[in-house]
């Protein structure tokens, strides 16, 4: 969770205590946490396919069975929207210039064409 005003920390603590949930305050950055992680998984899956290591179907099945994710990375990208995945990674790259956010050419091509992955 990120806070717009530091003074809201006490309200957040009280609300989460009443709900019985844990929380962690993070810096307000592009991509936040969950979208950033999901988009990176999708991006790495694209590199795997682009390099010829596996097919999209193999990667999706492997992630579902191996990690118990509800979807594989390509099915997830289609559900979220390939263009959105690309936009998050591009924003993270421009914000941080961290190599891990460089968009795979396969992902970029699909996003710019406005096409889902064929899984």
């Amino acid at each position: 969770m990120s806070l717009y005003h530091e003074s809201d920390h006490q309200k957040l603590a009280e609300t989460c205590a009443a709900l019985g949930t844990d929380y962690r305050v993070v810096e307000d950055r592009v991509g936040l946490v969950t979208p950033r992680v999901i988009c990176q998984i999708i991006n790495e899956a694209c590199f795997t396919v682009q390099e010829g290591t596996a097919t999209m179907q193999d990667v999706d099945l492997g992630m579902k069975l191996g990690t118990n994710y509800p979807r594989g990375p390509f099915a997830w990208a289609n559900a979220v929207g390939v263009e959105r995945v690309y936009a998050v990674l591009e924003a993270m790259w421009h914000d941080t210039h961290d190599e891990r956010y460089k968009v795979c050419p396969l992902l970029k091509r699909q996003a710019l064409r406005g096409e889902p992955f064929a899984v």
Side-chain angles (χ1 to χ4, degrees):
M1 168 98 27
S2 63
L3 297 172
Y4 189 70
H5 297 289
E6 185 59 35
S7 61
D8 292 334
H9 197 152
Q10 184 59 36
K11 289 182 218 171
L12 174 63
E14 291 168 3
T15 301
C16 288
L19 294 171
T21 58
D22 293 329
Y23 70 95
R24 179 169 291 182
V25 176
V26 295
E27 184 180 341
D28 189 12
R29 304 248 354 218
V30 173
L32 292 173
V33 177
T34 302
R36 184 185 314 178
V37 171
I38 293 170
C39 291
Q40 283 181 281
I41 290 169
I42 293 166
N43 198 43
E44 288 301 319
C46 288
F47 278 116
T48 300
V49 168
Q50 180 177 286
E51 293 164 357
T53 305
T55 67
M56 288 182 200
Q57 294 79 10
D58 291 338
V59 171
D60 269 6
L61 183 60
M63 288 297 286
K64 284 176 68 175
L65 297 176
T67 62
N68 201 26
Y69 283 178
R71 300 183 165 119
F74 294 100
W76 221 332
N78 289 344
V80 170
V82 177
E83 298 91 347
R84 286 189 182 111
V85 173
Y86 173 71
V88 168
L89 291 167
E90 273 291 289
M92 291 302 304
W93 168 250
H94 288 292
D95 185 48
T96 66
H97 293 288
D98 189 325
E99 288 293 314
R100 64 184 155 171
Y101 300 117
K102 270 195 162 177
V103 178
C104 176
L106 172 62
L107 175 60
K108 182 176 183 177
R109 184 172 57 249
Q110 289 298 116
L112 295 179
R113 288 180 180 168
E115 297 175 1
F117 288 107
V119 287

